[in-house]
Amino acid sequence: IWKYSVGNYLASILAAIPSFILPLMIVNLLSGQQNAYFYIAWTIASILFSIPFAASQSLFAEGSHFEDKLRINANKAIRFALVLLVPATILVVVMGKWLLLLFGASYSSNALTLLWILGSSSIFVGINSVYYTILLVRHRIRELLVLRGLITIAVLVTSALIMPAMGIVGIGYAWLGAQALVSIYVALAIRWRYR
C-alpha cells in the first residue's frame, strides 16, 4: 500500500507541475500580460481536460472492483470521454473567440490560437488519462511515473526553448506534442500487450 500510495501521489504531483511552473516561466521569459492570456486559455482548456478525468475516475472505481472487466470498462470510458470531448472541443474552437471576448478584446486576439491548440490536445489527454487509470488498476506505478514525468519534462523544456520565439503559442505546441507522443506510445503498448 505504501509503494502504491507514494507512487500515485508522485504521479499526481508530476501531472500538476506544468500548471504551476509554466506561469512562472511566462512571467520571467515574456511578461505578466502574456501570463494573463495564457491563464485564461489554460483555464478554459482545463474544463475540457476534466471530461476524461471524470471518465477515468469512474473507470478506476469500476476497475478496482472488477479487474476482470477492465478492458470492457476501459473501452466504455474512452468512448464516453470521446462522445463528450469531440463536440466540446469543436464548440471551444468555434466559440473560442467569443469566450475570450468575455475577458476583453486583447484576450481574444492574443490567446485564441493557444486555446485552439490546447483544445485540440484534449483528445490525446483523454486517451492518456484512461491509460493512466489502467496502469493504476494494474499496479504499474513505475510506468505511470515515467509517462507523467516525460510529459512534464518535455512540456517545460520545450516551452522554455521555443517560448522566446513563439510566445505562449509555443507552450500549446509543446503540450500538444507531448500528449500526442504519449498517445502514440499508449496505442502501441495496448496493441502489443492486449493483442
Side-chain angles (χ1 to χ4, degrees), residues 14-41:
L14 286 170
I17 284 175
S19 61
F20 296 131
I21 301 293
L22 286 171
L24 298 174
M25 289 172 59
I26 295 167
V27 167
N28 285 295
L29 294 174
L30 300 174
S31 68
Q33 191 174 24
Q34 290 296 312
N35 190 36
Y37 301 142
F38 167 79
Y39 180 77
I40 294 301

Side-chain angles (χ1 to χ4, degrees), residues 147-158:
L147 291 176
R148 289 285 200 187
L150 284 175
I151 285 180
T152 298
I153 291 168
V155 168
L156 295 179
V157 170
T158 308

